[in-house]
Amino acid sequence: MRLVDAPVKVASPGGRPARFRWQNRTYRIARIIDQWSYLGRWWAGEGEWRFFRVETADGGLFELYLDVAANQWRLYRVYD
Amino acid sequence: MTDAGFVHLHVHSPFSFLDGASAIEELVRRAADLELPALALTDHDNLSGAVRFVQACTAAGIKPIIGCELTLADGHHLLALATSPKGYANLCRIVSAAHLGNPRGEPRAAWDDIIRYKEDLLFLSGCRRGEIPALLYQRRFREAEAAARRYRDMLGRDRFLLALEATELPGQHAVNQALVELAERLGLTAVATGNVHYTTRERHPVHDVLRCIALGLTVEDPHPGRPFNDQRYLIPPAVMRERFAWYPQGLANTLAVAERCQPALVLGRRRHPRFPLPPGQTAQVLLHQLTWSGAEQRYGRISPALRERISSELAIIDQLDMADYFLVAWDVVQFARSRGIRTSGRGSAADSVVAYCLGLTDVDAFRRNLRFERFLSIERGEPPDIDIDLEAEHRDEVAAYVYERYGRDHVAAVATYHTYHARGALREVGKVLGFAPEEIDAVAKRMPHLPADAIERALHRYPELRAVSFEGPRRRQWLALAQALAALPRHLGTHSSGLVISAEPLLDVTPLQMSAKGVVMSQFDKDDVEALGLMKLDLLFLRMLGAVNTAARAIQRHDPGFDYDRIPDDDPRTYQRLRRGETIGAFQLESPAQRALHPRLRPREFEDIVASVALIRPGPIKGDMVRPFIARRNGQEPITYIHPKLRPILEKTYGVVLFQEQVIEIAREIAGFTPGEADRLRRVMSSFRSQAEMDRIGEQFVAKAIAQGCTPEQARTIFGYIAGYAGYGFCEAHAASFATIAYKTAYLLEHYPAEFYAALLAHQPMGYYPPNTLLWEAKRRGVAVRGPCVNKSAPEYTVEADRAIRVGLRQIRSLSAATLAAMLDARAERPFTSLADFCQRVAPLTIEEAEQLVLAGAFDAIHPNRRALLWQLPALLGDARRAREAQRHWDLRIEAPPVTIEDFPLLERDLREYYALGVTVERHLMQHWRRHLRKRGVSTCAAAARLPHRHPVTAAGLCIRPHRPPTKSGRTVVFLTLEDETGLIDVTVFEDVYMRWGDDLFVSPLLLVSGKIDRHGEGVSITAERLAPLVPPGTLAAVL
């Protein structure tokens, strides 16, 4: 398991991730395994992060999150 | 059911104490906005919010479901919902056993109780702290299934449901799916739930702060007990449908649960106890017998008018079936009197001649022509409010009798909720947000006593808050969150006086728990228990009654014929004292406002005292009744009535509205209000919260008064009297009841100052002034006061043979009861001869206790150098301890090492004495500044009081009780008293001066005031023009 926490481009029709591009490669999401919401340090101005644990078509396991306030997707973790 | 298609079955209110961030009314309002057909309430291990929840739901047209989130013996959670009154009673029993069978504050529901009382209850598997979900989160599927089977078999398939959650936690979806699978495999029902702790997501920070307060954390401390996200809100049905699109049955199942939950908590049904009667006797007959025999004792001859009055009261009591209520109260008073415990009835009970005949009150309602309807009326049909004042130290003894008389399962103390005020909210939120203690102190100490949501308004209003800044994002957040805690209950406490008595076992009606003082209490407050139809008996403690008894005993030692109950009611010297305003210490008559009133009112009979007790209340003051009353009473202004119908109502108060009863009578006579309408008016007035409500009732009054023949102008003017009175005023009966004690204590003050002041000091805290002021007032009256002495002091303040007051040992800071008892035992053998002797013979004795005894002056008679004694202490205590450990009692002759050191400088000595004792005995603290002040031309308080009207003056003194009472104009006026070694002088600070100079007014123990003398009759005060702290704020903070 590796912590990445880097911005990624995600296609998310209806707010749910369908594909993302990372390290010059596009990953198609086959299944959303789990999703949850995390509220960070609200007292320091952090907002909601919406997490998705996904399995890609090629069998990879990733965690993506949407920083709702910044409307920015990030790849959080990769399960090698 | 409606289109919402879903009901929230897991909802926490603020009565989950530090785990619910939205008021019940807000939760219900939000549920109504979301068109939910029903709503559950499931607070942690208590039902404290149940009554107001039912009331709020009923008003909103929502079906209330009463439940509870139980904590089990192993710490797991289990939700229980009542489906009927029987289920509710069972839930009360489970919750009560959880509290009473475990250490206080750690309720744990036992499975044995749950199984025994499971009838008409539904159980839900709970949140992630439920046993089954917790096992599933840990992926221990087999154990989870075994647990689910166990629950199903113990509770029954139809009573146990699996709860899916929609709070967006990691792993939750898989757990929800596993729960559905379990439900299918075990033949159980699965329901979709939220886990509601507030209305909307915006309240999440408030919830998080509350959790941090509960857990003793700052926001930077991670903890599993804090919320992970902001999803514990009242999730709208549409969002629930999205989240459970994969299992819509879970939503539909919530509706089926709501259908099964029938009204469980029935409000308004009378559950008053029956008075235990001899065989063949009825409560009505007994009450009639006791009343008539009491009437003979009270009145001797019973006139036809009196007979008619008593008969009519008894008829109403009979019709309302309230005889038992009176008998219960009568029985309590009888018990108290049989034990020599002084009692006094207060409140509207004194409107009743029956209550007077039964000895519940000492106010003759017949002679005073008081209206019984204010106490009890057929139209209202409400139980009467009988409040009984008792000597403070015997109050619990009387309460214990009530427990014994009606059975421990039928009597409990009433609860009260402690809610957040400005200061407490700022302190707790500041700590959570990580502010430094000194930053928090600087803000909180200056904050007036206000509701938490009034902080921001106060910042612009009070000059002492000018030094407080909430600029910058962090501080703004602090302010906003502190304000958001307004009115949230922090914890459950015991009501100081209320007892609830029930005909049926209390456990069928209310859950019980143990209070901090070790009595069993209901989880409901006084309003709730009344709504439940239970009888509430207020056994109040009035410290003054204890002080009166103590004084009477001391007086009888040298004047055996003295009888408090036979104090003459026309003593000229007492009235002279009242007219001089020299009444510090007298019950209800000692405040600056009262002392300023009397020289102008010039009281010469008892009715003047009744009036003065009623006049200095927010209602009459704001209604501008004080000046006209005084002028009319003294013949300086004609007595006029705007309408002839007012004459009989206001005649005895010179045409001025003084008592609550008069307001009611005006409404009835002028506007033809029915008793019910008049009572509504009284309630609006006495808990004046809404101008709109007052305006509505005003319109009704004016319209009805015009219809009754008033001119519009008359009607509006008369309502002006009523509206002006709004706020708090006394009823005549209550004022008369208090005036009786007030007059008698003024008599004691005049004739027996040593005994009375010693008694007042012994029964602190009570009254308006701090002990130091009382002690110095006694000295100014010529009473000698002696400091504490290890050989001569009793535990309490006492009067010695030569009628000097001796300070008691219990006044000494930090002195424990065990050490005091050890001291008294050792002293009984022989007096202490030295500090060394004391240290050897008194155990336990901590160094802190010994230090405070020295600093209080308790060894002065043995060795006057307090500093030298302090130096000797560590060695003496060490030697004494070692000798005791070695059990070498035979050679315990420890000698104090010789110390040659000068005693403390006098100021330091007195400040330390003040810290140790709360008073100074030898010198008044102001004497230390006297020479300096004299050089600057600063007057003593006594010299200032001799100056003529409008004379400029500068005076200095201890700043006693600065306060901002309501005023007629609504402007801020601060009243305070300056005190020095010569006496006291009151100071009035008007708004402009306060705003300009008042920054340190509320934080300065010693104040310098410049202004002009204001004379009014024999009274005198200073109208301030400038204020300054005598020493920089904080200089003496540790002491004063």
Side-chain angles (χ1 to χ4, degrees):
Chain A
M1 188 172 65
R2 193 149 51 96
L3 185 69
V4 179
D5 203 12
V8 285
K9 283 196 173 164
V10 177
S12 54
R16 295 166 70 80
R19 292 187 307 278
F20 65 94
R21 190 166 174 76
W22 180 52
Q23 292 183 336
N24 298 321
R25 215 182 124 187
T26 298
Y27 293 83
R28 193 172 65 77
I29 294 169
R31 187 162 74 101
I32 294 175
I33 298 167
D34 196 10
Q35 67 180 69
W36 65 90
S37 162
Y38 170 71
L39 198 72
R41 300 168 70 243
W42 54 264
W43 57 95
E46 287 181 5
E48 184 195 6
W49 295 352
R50 183 153 283 280
F51 279 82
F52 295 86
R53 183 176 294 158
V54 299
E55 188 182 327
T56 54
D58 60 359
L61 197 57
F62 297 86
E63 270 178 29
L64 299 160
Y65 73 86
L66 173 67
D67 180 337
V68 176
N71 195 24
Q72 188 184 59
W73 282 94
R74 295 175 79 87
L75 176 64
Y76 188 59
R77 275 193 291 206
V78 179
Y79 292 80
D80 291 326
Chain B
M1 294 287 176
T2 68
D3 291 345
F6 168 72
V7 166
H8 273 289
L9 298 174
H10 185 179
V11 181
H12 292 268
S13 81
F15 290 97
S16 279
F17 299 111
L18 301 178
D19 201 10
S22 292
I24 282 178
E25 292 72 16
E26 287 168 15
L27 287 165
V28 171
R29 200 176 307 131
R30 178 72 182 146
D33 289 347
L34 295 172
E35 298 184 339
L36 298 182
L39 187 69
L41 180 72
T42 53
D43 282 315
H44 290 300
D45 303 301
N46 82 76
L47 299 174
S48 286
V51 171
R52 64 182 63 188
F53 178 68
V54 169
Q55 290 166 332
C57 284
T58 306
I62 288 176
K63 181 184 197 178
I65 300 170
I66 301 297
C68 185
E69 184 164 26
L70 302 168
T71 306
L72 303 174
D74 58 7
H76 285 122
H77 286 183
L78 180 67
L79 283 172
L81 304 174
T83 61
S84 73
K86 174 78 182 165
Y88 170 78
N90 281 337
L91 190 53
C92 287
R93 286 172 191 276
I94 294 170
V95 171
S96 302
H99 279 275
L100 299 174
N102 290 286
R104 203 177 80 81
E106 296 171 32
R108 293 286 184 271
W111 272 110
D112 283 353
D113 293 316
I114 294 170
I115 292 164
R116 187 179 312 140
Y117 298 117
K118 66 187 177 185
E119 195 183 334
D120 285 2
L121 286 172
L122 297 177
F123 296 91
L124 274 63
S125 56
C127 58
R128 69 192 164 92
R129 290 189 60 190
E131 184 178 357
I132 298 159
L135 289 166
L136 290 174
Y137 272 105
Q138 295 166 43
R139 306 176 70 80
R140 292 157 67 184
F141 298 109
R142 278 205 196 127
E143 289 163 82
E145 181 169 342
R149 278 183 199 283
R150 183 162 33 89
Y151 280 49
R152 181 195 67 183
D153 296 344
M154 286 191 296
L155 300 169
R157 192 188 300 271
D158 58 334
R159 280 196 201 94
F160 179 58
L161 302 97
L162 294 167
L164 319 177
E165 267 201 353
T167 51
E168 302 276 87
L169 297 178
Q172 189 171 68
H173 186 62
V175 168
N176 282 343
Q177 285 177 319
L179 284 165
V180 170
E181 281 173 30
L182 268 183
E184 283 166 2
R185 203 154 48 241
L186 303 181
L188 294 167
T189 301
V191 289
T193 70
N195 183 356
V196 179
H197 290 254
Y198 39 87
T199 48
T200 58
R201 294 170 72 182
E202 291 71 35
R203 293 290 287 182
H204 160 75
V206 182
H207 182 227
D208 196 15
V209 164
L210 290 172
R211 294 307 302 142
C212 286
I213 293 170
L215 297 162
L217 306 172
T218 75
V219 282
E220 297 291 355
D221 302 324
H223 192 283
R226 288 178 61 187
F228 184 79
N229 59 32
D230 61 355
Q231 294 296 310
R232 299 195 184 188
Y233 68 114
L234 204 67
I235 302 172
V239 176
M240 289 297 285
R241 278 195 290 276
E242 272 175 34
R243 291 184 186 173
F244 286 96
W246 62 277
Y247 186 63
Q249 189 58 42
L251 302 169
N253 287 344
T254 64
L255 298 179
V257 168
E259 284 292 348
R260 285 178 71 182
C261 293
Q262 291 308 303
L265 180 55
V266 183
L267 303 181
R269 189 160 67 80
R270 279 268 295 276
R271 305 169 207 255
H272 287 187
R274 292 293 167 194
F275 181 71
L277 294 162
Q281 180 75 285
T282 69
Q284 289 187 0
V285 169
L286 180 59
L287 181 69
H288 286 227
Q289 285 171 357
L290 291 168
T291 302
W292 290 115
S293 79
E296 274 175 28
Q297 283 175 20
R298 289 282 200 190
Y299 294 98
R301 187 185 148 270
I302 298 173
S303 66
L306 175 60
R307 182 171 298 281
E308 192 187 326
R309 165 75 188 245
I310 294 175
S311 299
S312 80
E313 283 192 20
L314 288 171
I316 292 170
I317 295 167
D318 290 349
Q319 196 175 335
L320 291 172
D321 191 20
M322 294 284 183
D324 290 282
Y325 193 105
F326 280 79
L327 291 171
V328 168
W330 167 81
D331 183 54
V332 169
V333 169
Q334 290 304 305
F335 168 79
R337 293 199 173 144
S338 73
R339 297 293 175 99
I341 300 167
R342 199 165 281 285
T343 71
S344 167
R346 71 156 72 168
S348 60
D351 282 310
S352 162
V353 180
V354 169
Y356 178 63
C357 294
L358 292 173
L360 303 182
T361 70
D362 287 320
V363 175
D364 183 350
F366 178 68
R367 188 179 66 76
R368 304 189 72 84
N369 195 23
L370 300 176
R371 291 183 81 103
F372 181 67
E373 293 76 21
R374 191 183 172 279
F375 178 54
L376 195 61
S377 84
I378 288 179
E379 192 185 46
R380 285 205 311 276
E382 288 176 352
D385 215 2
I386 300 181
D387 300 338
I388 301 168
D389 283 324
L390 298 156
E391 286 177 56
E393 53 268 53
H394 294 296
R395 187 259 171 203
D396 290 348
E397 191 180 330
V398 178
Y401 170 74
V402 177
Y403 279 89
E404 289 309 314
R405 187 78 159 114
Y406 299 95
R408 297 204 160 264
D409 48 349
H410 292 258
V411 183
V414 174
T416 183
Y417 317 126
H418 296 277
T419 54
Y420 276 104
H421 277 71
R423 200 175 287 182
L426 283 167
R427 279 197 183 283
E428 295 205 340
V429 174
K431 203 168 157 189
V432 166
L433 293 179
F435 284 91
E438 53 273 20
E439 280 182 281
I440 297 171
D441 245 17
V443 172
K445 277 193 172 165
R446 285 179 175 266
M447 194 54 61
H449 185 72
L450 295 166
D453 57 358
I455 300 171
E456 194 155 14
R457 263 178 294 140
L459 292 177
H460 306 293
R461 186 165 174 202
Y462 299 113
E464 62 266 32
L465 297 180
R466 275 200 283 254
V468 172
S469 164
F470 284 109
E471 293 302 313
R474 252 185 105 221
R475 287 199 156 228
R476 275 202 298 279
Q477 192 172 53
W478 183 12
L479 170 66
L481 285 165
Q483 296 216 123
L485 299 191
L488 294 185
R490 192 192 185 287
H491 59 274
L492 203 63
T494 322
H495 191 270
S496 59
S497 60
L499 286 183
V500 59
I501 312 174
S502 172
E504 53 201 275
L506 272 175
L507 282 177
D508 287 344
V509 191
T510 167
L512 301 173
Q513 65 179 67
M514 196 58 79
S515 74
K517 66 187 256 195
V519 298
V520 172
M521 69 174 190
S522 162
Q523 288 183 348
F524 293 124
D525 80 350
K526 62 185 174 56
D527 296 331
D528 293 344
V529 299
E530 277 183 17
L532 281 166
L534 298 164
M535 174 178 171
K536 182 173 71 70
L537 185 68
D538 264 322
L539 300 181
L540 299 113
F541 60 90
L542 193 58
R543 291 183 190 276
M544 184 56 86
L545 291 177
V548 158
N549 249 4
T550 302
R553 280 196 297 273
I555 294 165
Q556 282 159 355
R557 277 199 282 278
H558 61 84
D559 183 358
F562 173 80
D563 184 349
Y564 175 81
D565 294 316
R566 293 181 189 280
I567 284 175
D569 56 11
D570 55 353
D571 179 60
R573 277 175 55 190
T574 301
Y575 280 101
Q576 281 165 18
R577 171 162 292 281
L578 290 173
R579 287 197 288 274
R580 292 198 303 274
E582 293 175 357
T583 46
I584 290 173
F587 182 63
Q588 291 283 312
L589 302 179
E590 63 174 346
S591 71
Q594 283 286 358
R595 289 189 293 103
L597 169 70
H598 285 131
R600 294 194 290 155
L601 179 62
R602 307 193 56 71
R604 45 253 196 218
E605 58 184 26
F606 181 68
E607 289 310 309
D608 294 328
I609 302 175
V610 178
S612 72
V613 167
L615 268 171
I616 305 298
R617 308 297 306 166
I621 289 173
K622 280 165 70 180
D624 194 20
M625 309 299 179
V626 180
R627 191 205 52 78
F629 183 89
I630 294 170
R632 292 172 178 207
R633 167 71 179 103
N634 291 329
Q636 294 152 345
E637 189 177 280
I639 299 165
T640 55
Y641 303 93
I642 192 169
H643 192 284
K645 281 185 183 171
L646 290 177
R647 177 186 285 273
I649 302 170
L650 300 180
E651 204 160 19
K652 65 178 166 186
T653 51
Y654 311 100
V656 170
V657 183
L658 192 53
F659 303 119
Q660 270 190 9
E661 292 95 328
Q662 292 173 320
V663 175
I664 305 304
E665 281 197 62
I666 290 170
R668 290 171 60 172
E669 293 299 321
I670 299 289
F673 270 33
T674 64
E677 287 170 332
D679 194 58
R680 203 181 115 233
L681 171 65
R682 181 183 65 80
R683 283 170 190 271
V684 171
M685 279 190 336
S686 56
S687 59
F688 180 47
R689 291 198 192 98
S690 158
Q691 187 59 48
E693 203 175 358
M694 183 60 90
D695 291 344
R696 271 197 301 278
I697 211 160
E699 283 166 22
Q700 187 191 5
F701 179 93
V702 170
K704 291 190 87 169
I706 293 170
Q708 296 273 324
C710 280
T711 66
E713 196 187 344
Q714 278 177 329
R716 275 192 290 272
T717 306
I718 295 171
F719 189 74
Y721 296 163
I722 293 174
Y725 191 90
Y728 188 71
F730 273 170
C731 65
E732 183 184 349
H734 184 67
S737 180
F738 269 16
T740 307
I741 307 173
Y743 169 78
K744 289 185 175 186
T745 53
Y747 178 93
L748 293 177
L749 201 56
E750 171 60 26
H751 294 277
Y752 303 100
E755 290 81 359
F756 187 56
Y757 278 119
L760 286 180
L761 286 161
H763 286 266
Q764 291 292 310
M766 64 185 282
Y768 189 87
Y769 293 101
N772 192 58
T773 304
L774 295 173
L775 185 143
W776 279 89
E777 184 65 9
K779 285 180 78 130
R780 286 187 286 267
R781 289 286 309 275
V783 177
V785 180
R786 298 187 182 120
C789 173
V790 287
N791 282 325
K792 292 184 177 164
S793 282
E796 307 299 350
Y797 277 87
T798 48
V799 180
E800 298 193 328
D802 60 352
R803 298 185 78 182
I805 294 175
R806 170 72 73 178
V807 178
L809 294 169
R810 231 192 280 279
Q811 310 307 317
I812 293 167
R813 180 184 285 263
S814 316
L815 190 65
S816 70
T819 304
L820 177 58
M823 272 176 73
L824 297 175
D825 284 349
R827 191 173 86 181
E829 289 174 19
R830 60 179 190 280
F832 301 111
T833 55
S834 66
L835 182 61
D837 179 37
F838 184 88
C839 292
Q840 289 164 42
R841 291 165 54 206
V842 176
L845 175 68
T846 66
I847 189 152
E848 164 76 359
E849 289 174 316
E851 280 176 1
Q852 296 305 319
L853 279 160
V854 169
L855 294 170
F859 290 96
D860 282 3
I862 296 171
H863 192 307
N865 185 333
R866 296 181 189 175
R867 190 189 247 168
L869 291 182
L870 275 194
W871 275 93
Q872 292 172 15
L873 252 183
L876 291 176
L877 282 170
D879 288 348
R881 191 181 58 249
R882 278 190 294 280
R884 264 196 298 276
E885 282 165 5
Q887 295 188 326
R888 291 183 298 141
H889 296 290
W890 56 90
D891 60 350
L892 264 177
R893 298 192 56 82
I894 301 164
E895 289 305 324
V899 175
T900 50
I901 187 170
E902 274 197 30
D903 202 353
F904 294 113
L906 286 183
L907 174 59
E908 188 178 348
R909 182 178 154 109
D910 287 350
L911 286 171
R912 286 173 180 271
E913 180 177 309
Y914 190 92
Y915 180 79
L917 214 49
V919 298
T920 58
V921 178
E922 282 179 54
R923 277 166 302 279
H924 194 283
L925 283 175
M926 285 306 297
Q927 286 175 261
H928 294 286
W929 282 271
R930 182 57 57 211
R931 208 168 57 156
H932 171 67
L933 290 171
R934 200 177 294 126
K935 274 190 202 159
R936 287 177 59 186
V938 177
S939 303
T940 61
C941 293
R946 290 192 293 271
L947 293 171
H949 186 54
R950 306 300 299 157
H951 195 284
V953 64
T954 299
L958 290 174
C959 177
I960 308 292
R961 289 287 299 265
H963 64 292
R964 291 171 284 242
T967 58
K968 178 183 165 264
S969 64
R971 293 175 73 86
T972 306
V973 181
V974 180
F975 296 96
L976 61 97
T977 303
L978 284 184
E979 182 202 319
D980 68 12
E981 70 278 21
T982 67
L984 293 89
I985 189 159
D986 297 323
V987 178
T988 308
V989 187
F990 287 106
E991 189 165 279
D992 54 336
V993 176
Y994 170 49
M995 294 311 287
R996 180 151 183 214
W997 301 103
D999 295 34
D1000 299 315
L1001 174 55
F1002 284 84
V1003 288
S1004 294
L1006 305 173
L1007 206 62
L1008 195 64
V1009 177
S1010 297
K1012 295 237 167 42
I1013 291 292
D1014 185 12
R1015 291 203 159 274
H1016 31 79
E1018 291 179 42
V1020 61
S1021 62
I1022 297 174
T1023 301
E1025 292 170 353
R1026 190 172 172 165
L1027 309 163
L1030 186 62
V1031 292
T1035 313
L1036 308 174
V1039 180
L1040 296 175

